[in-house]
Amino acid sequence: MNDLQYLHPSAELLDQYAMNRLSNGTLGYVEEHLLLCPSCCKALSLLDRDIRLMRAVLGPMEITGPVWARA
């Protein structure tokens, strides 16, 4: 195990990030981590896919770009 494994945001934090439900302090931590961690970016991409699928099942919604992308 390397030291980075201790710094990964939990699955719950990534879920909250994808749904834009984090406080500013936690948001900064998660965004900074995502800049350096391909495995968490991959997990977030899978969450994005799942969110799109759920929205497709629930009805038509305009979705442009990744759900989790920040401007």
Side-chain angles (χ1 to χ4, degrees), residues 11-21 43-70:
E12 182 180 345
L13 274 180
L14 289 178
D15 285 344
Q16 291 175 2
Y17 178 83
M19 301 301 276
N20 199 24
R21 294 183 179 157
L44 199 55
S45 292
L46 294 173
L47 281 172
D48 180 58
R49 181 202 64 194
D50 292 346
I51 290 168
R52 288 171 176 271
L53 289 171
M54 286 188 283
R55 287 182 174 172
V57 168
L58 295 174
M61 298 176 88
E62 183 177 328
I63 301 173
T64 58
V67 175
W68 54 271
R70 301 291 193 268

